[in-house]
Structure formats: C-alpha cells, structure tokens
C-alpha cells in the first residue's frame, strides 16, 4: 500500500508539475494475494483533474516469475492535492480522456469525488447531483 501511494504521487506530480499531498484513499479491494517472491506491478494514472485535486486510479498485479504469469491483485482510487510554495492548494491542468476506458474513469470520478467529500464532511448529500442520480429512477 505504501508503494501504491508512491506510484499515485508520481502520477499526480507528473500531471501537475508540483508537489502533491495525499488527501484521501478510497476503499482498496484485494482480489488475490501477491505471493512471497513474486514481482509487483503497479499502474497509476490520473483519471480526472478537478480544481486543485486529482483522482488517481491504481491497479496492482502480481507476477509469478518462474511460472511466467501475471494476476490482478487489487485496485484503488487515491486523491492528491497540488500545493503551491506556501503549501496551499493550487490549480491543476485539466485532463482530456482519450480512450473509452479513460472516459468511463473520468465520468465515474465525479460521483466518487462526491461520495468521498460527503463521507469527509465536506459536501452536503443534497449537492451530490450526479451521485444521487445513480439511485433515482428516471
Ligand atoms: C488535503 C488538504 C491539502 C486540503 O486542504 P484544505 O485546506 O482542506 O483545502 P480545500 O478544502 O480547499 O480542498 C482542496 C482540495 O482538496 C479536496 N479535498 C479536501 N478534502 C478531501 C478529502 N477528504 N477527499 C478528497 N478530496 C478532498 C477538495 O475537494 C479540494 O479539491 P478541488 O480544489 O479539486 O475541489 C489538507 O487537508 C491537508 O493538507 N491534509 C493533510 C494531508 C496529509 O497529511 N496527507 C498525508 C497523509 S500520510
């Protein structure tokens, strides 16, 4: 999990060219344990940039180097905030999704952001329009 935080921080810093701080980590779902002696692959990408924060999507695989196969271990979403020289949040460049998968991550990021801000006491549930829409019948 420490490595995941580092990988996510690198992705965030490369996107905004600034120091970043971890604001939150969503639930991490573990599918398979990584065996002792197996290699660990971590993929971290910015899924959406907001004003000063960025959501990072992380996927982790294990690799059995003797049997030569890779298997999914876990995935998670991290949120990082870019900081100015005074350690205050600063604006980040926007992200344009290119692939279908990137578009899905981008769209979902808004709902995940609303959920984490509600849980963090930083947003009223009534203001989470896109999240509420998931539970409303058309
Ligand atoms: C994260 C932090 C920089 C936010 O600063 P703040 O003064 O509360 O600033 P704001 O309320 O203006 O929020 C700034 C951004 O953080 C986001 N944010 C704040 N709390 C958040 C949370 N719990 N989850 C996700 N994003 C959060 C806000 O949505 C905002 O993003 P936006 O500009 O894209 O809309 C500040 O709380 C902090 O430094 N926390 C400690 C971080 C830390 O020590 N991390 C290391 C853990 S090992």
């Amino acid at each position: 999990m420490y490595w995941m935080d580092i990988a996510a921080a690198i992705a965030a810093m490369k996107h905004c060219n600034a120091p970043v701080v971890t604001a939150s980590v969503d639930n991490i779902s573990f599918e398979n344990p990584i065996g002792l002696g197996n290699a660990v692959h971590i993929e971290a990408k910015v899924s959406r940039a907001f004003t000063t924060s960025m959501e990072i999507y992380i996927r982790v695989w294990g690799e059995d180097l003797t049997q030569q196969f890779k298997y999914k271990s876990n995935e998670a979403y991290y949120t990082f905030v870019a900081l100015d020289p005074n350690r205050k949040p600063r604006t980040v460049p926007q992200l344009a999704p290119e692939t279908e998968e990137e578009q899905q991550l981008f769209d979902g990021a808004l709902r995940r952001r609303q959920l984490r801000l509600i849980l963090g006491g930083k947003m009223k549930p009534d203001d989470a329009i896109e999240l509420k829409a998931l539970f409303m019948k058309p």
Side-chain angles (χ1 to χ4, degrees), residues 21-24 50-53 79 81 83 89 113 116-117 122:
V21 67
T22 314
S24 70
F50 294 97
T51 305
T52 64
S53 66
T79 302
V81 174
L83 300 177
R113 167 189 158 90
R116 67 178 73 98
L117 290 180
K122 298 213 162 182

PDB file of all heavy atoms in Angstrom, residues 21-24 50-53 79 81 83 89 113 116-117 122, ligand 1:
ATOM      1  N   VAL A  21       0.010  16.286  -2.100  1.00  0.00           N
ATOM      2  CA  VAL A  21      -0.202  15.623  -0.825  1.00  0.00           C
ATOM      3  C   VAL A  21      -1.403  14.692  -0.973  1.00  0.00           C
ATOM      4  O   VAL A  21      -2.331  14.997  -1.734  1.00  0.00           O
ATOM      5  CB  VAL A  21      -0.408  16.668   0.295  1.00  0.00           C
ATOM      6  CG1 VAL A  21      -1.709  17.424   0.113  1.00  0.00           C
ATOM      7  CG2 VAL A  21      -0.348  16.053   1.655  1.00  0.00           C
ATOM      8  N   THR A  22      -1.347  13.557  -0.290  1.00  0.00           N
ATOM      9  CA  THR A  22      -2.481  12.623  -0.333  1.00  0.00           C
ATOM     10  C   THR A  22      -3.627  13.230   0.464  1.00  0.00           C
ATOM     11  O   THR A  22      -3.484  13.498   1.660  1.00  0.00           O
ATOM     12  CB  THR A  22      -2.114  11.270   0.317  1.00  0.00           C
ATOM     13  OG1 THR A  22      -0.838  10.848  -0.147  1.00  0.00           O
ATOM     14  CG2 THR A  22      -3.158  10.210  -0.001  1.00  0.00           C
ATOM     15  N   ALA A  23      -4.772  13.419  -0.193  1.00  0.00           N
ATOM     16  CA  ALA A  23      -5.952  13.938   0.516  1.00  0.00           C
ATOM     17  C   ALA A  23      -6.801  12.789   1.029  1.00  0.00           C
ATOM     18  O   ALA A  23      -7.344  12.854   2.127  1.00  0.00           O
ATOM     19  CB  ALA A  23      -6.774  14.836  -0.402  1.00  0.00           C
ATOM     20  N   SER A  24      -6.948  11.733   0.216  1.00  0.00           N
ATOM     21  CA  SER A  24      -7.747  10.595   0.674  1.00  0.00           C
ATOM     22  C   SER A  24      -7.432   9.351  -0.148  1.00  0.00           C
ATOM     23  O   SER A  24      -6.906   9.444  -1.264  1.00  0.00           O
ATOM     24  CB  SER A  24      -9.244  10.898   0.606  1.00  0.00           C
ATOM     25  OG  SER A  24      -9.657  10.953  -0.735  1.00  0.00           O
ATOM     26  N   PHE A  50      -9.619  17.964 -11.006  1.00  0.00           N
ATOM     27  CA  PHE A  50     -10.690  18.889 -10.642  1.00  0.00           C
ATOM     28  C   PHE A  50     -10.089  20.293 -10.561  1.00  0.00           C
ATOM     29  O   PHE A  50      -9.439  20.729 -11.507  1.00  0.00           O
ATOM     30  CB  PHE A  50     -11.368  18.405  -9.355  1.00  0.00           C
ATOM     31  CG  PHE A  50     -12.084  17.096  -9.564  1.00  0.00           C
ATOM     32  CD1 PHE A  50     -11.493  15.885  -9.226  1.00  0.00           C
ATOM     33  CD2 PHE A  50     -13.331  17.075 -10.163  1.00  0.00           C
ATOM     34  CE1 PHE A  50     -12.148  14.684  -9.459  1.00  0.00           C
ATOM     35  CE2 PHE A  50     -13.997  15.880 -10.408  1.00  0.00           C
ATOM     36  CZ  PHE A  50     -13.395  14.678 -10.044  1.00  0.00           C
ATOM     37  N   THR A  51     -10.250  21.004  -9.452  1.00  0.00           N
ATOM     38  CA  THR A  51      -9.677  22.357  -9.403  1.00  0.00           C
ATOM     39  C   THR A  51      -8.238  22.305  -8.885  1.00  0.00           C
ATOM     40  O   THR A  51      -7.293  22.676  -9.592  1.00  0.00           O
ATOM     41  CB  THR A  51     -10.538  23.284  -8.516  1.00  0.00           C
ATOM     42  OG1 THR A  51     -11.885  23.246  -9.004  1.00  0.00           O
ATOM     43  CG2 THR A  51     -10.019  24.716  -8.586  1.00  0.00           C
ATOM     44  N   THR A  52      -8.085  21.797  -7.665  1.00  0.00           N
ATOM     45  CA  THR A  52      -6.729  21.646  -7.113  1.00  0.00           C
ATOM     46  C   THR A  52      -6.416  20.174  -6.836  1.00  0.00           C
ATOM     47  O   THR A  52      -5.305  19.850  -6.447  1.00  0.00           O
ATOM     48  CB  THR A  52      -6.579  22.426  -5.787  1.00  0.00           C
ATOM     49  OG1 THR A  52      -7.468  21.862  -4.802  1.00  0.00           O
ATOM     50  CG2 THR A  52      -6.905  23.901  -5.968  1.00  0.00           C
ATOM     51  N   SER A  53      -7.409  19.313  -7.027  1.00  0.00           N
ATOM     52  CA  SER A  53      -7.224  17.886  -6.700  1.00  0.00           C
ATOM     53  C   SER A  53      -7.280  17.033  -7.951  1.00  0.00           C
ATOM     54  O   SER A  53      -7.836  17.439  -8.981  1.00  0.00           O
ATOM     55  CB  SER A  53      -8.290  17.436  -5.694  1.00  0.00           C
ATOM     56  OG  SER A  53      -9.569  17.489  -6.284  1.00  0.00           O
ATOM     57  N   THR A  79      -6.768  10.301  -3.953  1.00  0.00           N
ATOM     58  CA  THR A  79      -6.936  11.716  -4.313  1.00  0.00           C
ATOM     59  C   THR A  79      -5.738  12.498  -3.792  1.00  0.00           C
ATOM     60  O   THR A  79      -5.387  12.385  -2.608  1.00  0.00           O
ATOM     61  CB  THR A  79      -8.224  12.302  -3.695  1.00  0.00           C
ATOM     62  OG1 THR A  79      -9.337  11.541  -4.150  1.00  0.00           O
ATOM     63  CG2 THR A  79      -8.407  13.757  -4.127  1.00  0.00           C
ATOM     64  N   VAL A  81      -3.776  16.426  -3.788  1.00  0.00           N
ATOM     65  CA  VAL A  81      -3.971  17.866  -3.968  1.00  0.00           C
ATOM     66  C   VAL A  81      -2.607  18.491  -4.271  1.00  0.00           C
ATOM     67  O   VAL A  81      -1.605  18.184  -3.600  1.00  0.00           O
ATOM     68  CB  VAL A  81      -4.590  18.500  -2.691  1.00  0.00           C
ATOM     69  CG1 VAL A  81      -4.657  20.019  -2.802  1.00  0.00           C
ATOM     70  CG2 VAL A  81      -5.989  17.932  -2.444  1.00  0.00           C
ATOM     71  N   LEU A  83       0.118  21.452  -4.378  1.00  0.00           N
ATOM     72  CA  LEU A  83       0.425  22.524  -3.420  1.00  0.00           C
ATOM     73  C   LEU A  83       1.310  23.596  -4.052  1.00  0.00           C
ATOM     74  O   LEU A  83       2.212  23.282  -4.846  1.00  0.00           O
ATOM     75  CB  LEU A  83       1.143  21.938  -2.206  1.00  0.00           C
ATOM     76  CG  LEU A  83       0.374  20.873  -1.402  1.00  0.00           C
ATOM     77  CD1 LEU A  83       1.247  20.338  -0.278  1.00  0.00           C
ATOM     78  CD2 LEU A  83      -0.939  21.419  -0.860  1.00  0.00           C
ATOM     79  N   PRO A  89      -3.335  24.697  -1.490  1.00  0.00           N
ATOM     80  CA  PRO A  89      -3.780  24.075  -2.742  1.00  0.00           C
ATOM     81  C   PRO A  89      -3.664  25.030  -3.926  1.00  0.00           C
ATOM     82  O   PRO A  89      -3.974  26.225  -3.795  1.00  0.00           O
ATOM     83  CB  PRO A  89      -5.251  23.731  -2.441  1.00  0.00           C
ATOM     84  CG  PRO A  89      -5.304  23.555  -0.957  1.00  0.00           C
ATOM     85  CD  PRO A  89      -4.336  24.580  -0.413  1.00  0.00           C
ATOM     86  N   ARG A 113     -15.876  11.365  -6.284  1.00  0.00           N
ATOM     87  CA  ARG A 113     -15.475  12.577  -5.560  1.00  0.00           C
ATOM     88  C   ARG A 113     -16.603  13.038  -4.639  1.00  0.00           C
ATOM     89  O   ARG A 113     -16.376  13.380  -3.480  1.00  0.00           O
ATOM     90  CB  ARG A 113     -15.138  13.676  -6.578  1.00  0.00           C
ATOM     91  CG  ARG A 113     -15.005  15.071  -6.009  1.00  0.00           C
ATOM     92  CD  ARG A 113     -14.904  16.043  -7.175  1.00  0.00           C
ATOM     93  NE  ARG A 113     -15.280  17.388  -6.804  1.00  0.00           N
ATOM     94  CZ  ARG A 113     -14.423  18.300  -6.341  1.00  0.00           C
ATOM     95  NH1 ARG A 113     -13.178  17.979  -6.177  1.00  0.00           N
ATOM     96  NH2 ARG A 113     -14.831  19.506  -6.055  1.00  0.00           N
ATOM     97  N   ARG A 116     -16.792  10.726  -1.619  1.00  0.00           N
ATOM     98  CA  ARG A 116     -15.719  10.879  -0.615  1.00  0.00           C
ATOM     99  C   ARG A 116     -15.823  12.230   0.103  1.00  0.00           C
ATOM    100  O   ARG A 116     -15.508  12.322   1.286  1.00  0.00           O
ATOM    101  CB  ARG A 116     -14.337  10.630  -1.224  1.00  0.00           C
ATOM    102  CG  ARG A 116     -13.813  11.571  -2.235  1.00  0.00           C
ATOM    103  CD  ARG A 116     -12.394  11.175  -2.690  1.00  0.00           C
ATOM    104  NE  ARG A 116     -12.392   9.994  -3.537  1.00  0.00           N
ATOM    105  CZ  ARG A 116     -12.338  10.035  -4.883  1.00  0.00           C
ATOM    106  NH1 ARG A 116     -12.281  11.190  -5.524  1.00  0.00           N
ATOM    107  NH2 ARG A 116     -12.326   8.926  -5.587  1.00  0.00           N
ATOM    108  N   LEU A 117     -16.319  13.249  -0.588  1.00  0.00           N
ATOM    109  CA  LEU A 117     -16.471  14.550   0.084  1.00  0.00           C
ATOM    110  C   LEU A 117     -17.634  14.515   1.075  1.00  0.00           C
ATOM    111  O   LEU A 117     -17.562  15.130   2.142  1.00  0.00           O
ATOM    112  CB  LEU A 117     -16.650  15.667  -0.940  1.00  0.00           C
ATOM    113  CG  LEU A 117     -15.397  15.992  -1.771  1.00  0.00           C
ATOM    114  CD1 LEU A 117     -15.654  17.115  -2.763  1.00  0.00           C
ATOM    115  CD2 LEU A 117     -14.203  16.349  -0.878  1.00  0.00           C
ATOM    116  N   LYS A 122     -17.349  17.233   3.756  1.00  0.00           N
ATOM    117  CA  LYS A 122     -17.045  18.452   3.003  1.00  0.00           C
ATOM    118  C   LYS A 122     -18.081  18.760   1.937  1.00  0.00           C
ATOM    119  O   LYS A 122     -17.915  19.690   1.154  1.00  0.00           O
ATOM    120  CB  LYS A 122     -15.659  18.330   2.366  1.00  0.00           C
ATOM    121  CG  LYS A 122     -14.553  18.170   3.393  1.00  0.00           C
ATOM    122  CD  LYS A 122     -13.266  18.807   2.946  1.00  0.00           C
ATOM    123  CE  LYS A 122     -12.343  19.017   4.121  1.00  0.00           C
ATOM    124  NZ  LYS A 122     -11.108  19.669   3.744  1.00  0.00           N
TER     125      LYS A 122
HETATM  126  C1  LIG B   1      -5.766  17.808   1.600  1.00  0.00           C
HETATM  127  C2  LIG B   1      -5.578  19.249   2.023  1.00  0.00           C
HETATM  128  C3  LIG B   1      -4.400  19.856   1.251  1.00  0.00           C
HETATM  129  C4  LIG B   1      -6.846  20.026   1.666  1.00  0.00           C
HETATM  130  O1  LIG B   1      -6.651  21.330   2.087  1.00  0.00           O
HETATM  131  P1  LIG B   1      -7.863  22.292   2.523  1.00  0.00           P
HETATM  132  O2  LIG B   1      -7.296  23.486   3.125  1.00  0.00           O
HETATM  133  O3  LIG B   1      -8.873  21.479   3.260  1.00  0.00           O
HETATM  134  O4  LIG B   1      -8.357  22.775   1.140  1.00  0.00           O
HETATM  135  P2  LIG B   1      -9.776  22.734   0.457  1.00  0.00           P
HETATM  136  O5  LIG B   1     -10.930  22.457   1.365  1.00  0.00           O
HETATM  137  O6  LIG B   1      -9.801  23.994  -0.335  1.00  0.00           O
HETATM  138  O7  LIG B   1      -9.649  21.498  -0.520  1.00  0.00           O
HETATM  139  C5  LIG B   1      -8.663  21.481  -1.505  1.00  0.00           C
HETATM  140  C6  LIG B   1      -8.949  20.309  -2.393  1.00  0.00           C
HETATM  141  O8  LIG B   1      -8.856  19.127  -1.617  1.00  0.00           O
HETATM  142  C7  LIG B   1     -10.011  18.347  -1.825  1.00  0.00           C
HETATM  143  N1  LIG B   1     -10.262  17.582  -0.627  1.00  0.00           N
HETATM  144  C8  LIG B   1     -10.305  18.056   0.628  1.00  0.00           C
HETATM  145  N2  LIG B   1     -10.568  17.050   1.470  1.00  0.00           N
HETATM  146  C9  LIG B   1     -10.703  15.936   0.727  1.00  0.00           C
HETATM  147  C10 LIG B   1     -10.982  14.584   1.009  1.00  0.00           C
HETATM  148  N3  LIG B   1     -11.189  14.148   2.254  1.00  0.00           N
HETATM  149  N4  LIG B   1     -11.045  13.707  -0.017  1.00  0.00           N
HETATM  150  C11 LIG B   1     -10.840  14.124  -1.269  1.00  0.00           C
HETATM  151  N5  LIG B   1     -10.556  15.393  -1.617  1.00  0.00           N
HETATM  152  C12 LIG B   1     -10.502  16.279  -0.626  1.00  0.00           C
HETATM  153  C13 LIG B   1     -11.106  19.353  -2.103  1.00  0.00           C
HETATM  154  O9  LIG B   1     -12.188  18.749  -2.795  1.00  0.00           O
HETATM  155  C14 LIG B   1     -10.364  20.337  -2.967  1.00  0.00           C
HETATM  156  O10 LIG B   1     -10.282  19.839  -4.292  1.00  0.00           O
HETATM  157  P3  LIG B   1     -10.710  20.768  -5.549  1.00  0.00           P
HETATM  158  O11 LIG B   1      -9.958  22.061  -5.428  1.00  0.00           O
HETATM  159  O12 LIG B   1     -10.266  19.991  -6.737  1.00  0.00           O
HETATM  160  O13 LIG B   1     -12.180  20.965  -5.479  1.00  0.00           O
HETATM  161  C15 LIG B   1      -5.333  19.398   3.566  1.00  0.00           C
HETATM  162  O14 LIG B   1      -6.487  18.949   4.243  1.00  0.00           O
HETATM  163  C16 LIG B   1      -4.134  18.621   4.036  1.00  0.00           C
HETATM  164  O15 LIG B   1      -3.002  19.049   3.885  1.00  0.00           O
HETATM  165  N6  LIG B   1      -4.373  17.462   4.630  1.00  0.00           N
HETATM  166  C17 LIG B   1      -3.295  16.614   5.140  1.00  0.00           C
HETATM  167  C18 LIG B   1      -2.768  15.751   4.017  1.00  0.00           C
HETATM  168  C19 LIG B   1      -1.696  14.785   4.515  1.00  0.00           C
HETATM  169  O16 LIG B   1      -1.072  15.000   5.510  1.00  0.00           O
HETATM  170  N7  LIG B   1      -1.536  13.720   3.748  1.00  0.00           N
HETATM  171  C20 LIG B   1      -0.558  12.741   4.035  1.00  0.00           C
HETATM  172  C21 LIG B   1      -1.178  11.542   4.638  1.00  0.00           C
HETATM  173  S1  LIG B   1       0.057  10.347   5.017  1.00  0.00           S
END
